[in-house]
Amino acid sequence: MLEKLKKLVAQTSLVLSEHQLQQLVTYVELLDKWNSAYNLTSVRDPEEMLVKHIMDSLVVAPFVTGQRIIDVGTGPGLPGIPLAIALPDKQFYLLDSLGKRIRFLNHVKLQLKLQNFEAIQSRVEDHQPETGYDAVLSRAFASMTDMVNWCQHLPGADGQFLAMKGALVQEEIAALPNFVKVVGSHPLQVPTLNAERYLVVLEKV
């Protein structure tokens, strides 16, 4: 699995150490192990997880700015854990409302000795941080309108919303509330994945 991951990463601009690559592989092994009991992801094959979860998360790394990043609706830690491994100088907050997912995240944190992420069990609308986040990241929100409406209290003064989308839906962008504006949309290339991926960057007006 490590060799496959190395080949995938080599197709991107990412530079990861042997230790980081091994952490990513260990994370996939833990996800696979816990999946049978906890049903954390519909992807059952670890080799497939490397592409659909790990690489799909890592391709946004070049666009993650700031120091404090919250991953809302993180599920089993996607994209938060792969990004925390790849960007060790940033602090990640992984938010999910389900206890079983938070237990899994804390187990991963312990096993991988990751100091730069914190798992938070809360619904997004109930989470009231003392300091706003530099980036509010989401990979699986239903729509961008839902994301910015539910998360509008989370970014700091210069904070951004980073919405990972399967396709760039112009109707979704057109339907956004007027308190946000799109400041960038980036097509993402996930190695060996034959599907559209985009990152839409939004800021509060």
Side-chain angles (χ1 to χ4, degrees), residues 107-118:
H107 179 70
V108 169
K109 182 175 183 168
L110 210 63
Q111 294 296 313
L112 298 185
K113 299 181 172 62
L114 278 174
Q115 300 301 318
N116 66 325
F117 92 79
E118 189 183 320

Side-chain angles (χ1 to χ4, degrees), residues 47-121:
E47 298 266 325
E48 231 182 301
M49 288 180 193
L50 286 179
V51 175
K52 291 185 174 172
H53 288 337
I54 302 301
M55 296 312 300
D56 195 58
S57 296
L58 289 177
V59 287
V60 298
F63 305 101
V64 178
T65 56
Q67 282 305 306
R68 300 177 75 249
I69 293 100
I70 185 165
D71 173 11
V72 290
T74 189
L78 298 161
I81 287 177
L83 289 173
I85 291 169
L87 304 168
D89 57 330
K90 298 183 187 300
Q91 185 68 31
F92 288 84
Y93 299 85
L94 277 55
L95 185 83
D96 203 276
S97 59
L98 277 187
K100 66 176 184 179
R101 292 177 186 154
I102 298 297
R103 282 194 290 282
F104 172 69
L105 295 176
N106 284 324
H107 179 70
V108 169
K109 182 175 183 168
L110 210 63
Q111 294 296 313
L112 298 185
K113 299 181 172 62
L114 278 174
Q115 300 301 318
N116 66 325
F117 92 79
E118 189 183 320
I120 302 168
Q121 185 177 352

Side-chain angles (χ1 to χ4, degrees), residues 12-183:
T12 71
S13 61
L14 292 164
V15 180
L16 298 175
S17 68
E18 194 78 21
H19 177 62
Q20 287 169 307
L21 291 163
Q22 188 54 61
Q23 282 181 312
L24 289 164
V25 167
T26 304
Y27 168 57
V28 169
E29 289 168 351
L30 291 169
L31 188 52
D32 180 48
K33 186 177 165 187
W34 280 55
N35 206 26
S36 51
Y38 277 58
N39 200 21
L40 297 166
T41 167
S42 58
V43 181
R44 297 288 174 199
D45 176 15
E47 298 266 325
E48 231 182 301
M49 288 180 193
L50 286 179
V51 175
K52 291 185 174 172
H53 288 337
I54 302 301
M55 296 312 300
D56 195 58
S57 296
L58 289 177
V59 287
V60 298
F63 305 101
V64 178
T65 56
Q67 282 305 306
R68 300 177 75 249
I69 293 100
I70 185 165
D71 173 11
V72 290
T74 189
L78 298 161
I81 287 177
L83 289 173
I85 291 169
L87 304 168
D89 57 330
K90 298 183 187 300
Q91 185 68 31
F92 288 84
Y93 299 85
L94 277 55
L95 185 83
D96 203 276
S97 59
L98 277 187
K100 66 176 184 179
R101 292 177 186 154
I102 298 297
R103 282 194 290 282
F104 172 69
L105 295 176
N106 284 324
H107 179 70
V108 169
K109 182 175 183 168
L110 210 63
Q111 294 296 313
L112 298 185
K113 299 181 172 62
L114 278 174
Q115 300 301 318
N116 66 325
F117 92 79
E118 189 183 320
I120 302 168
Q121 185 177 352
S122 172
R123 287 162 50 136
V124 67
E125 55 269 40
D126 298 334
H127 176 55
Q128 300 292 338
E130 284 178 26
T131 316
Y133 296 99
D134 299 321
V136 179
L137 181 62
S138 128
R139 181 169 175 257
F141 251 75
S143 76
M144 283 191 282
T145 295
D146 283 348
M147 180 196 177
V148 296
N149 278 328
W150 294 347
C151 302
Q152 59 178 303
H153 61 294
L154 296 178
D158 299 316
Q160 293 183 322
F161 297 97
L162 304 177
M164 298 169 70
K165 303 300 292 181
L168 197 56
V169 187
Q170 292 303 332
E171 298 82 37
E172 246 192 87
I173 290 175
L176 283 165
N178 56 15
F179 66 84
V180 289
K181 62 178 179 186
V182 176
V183 292

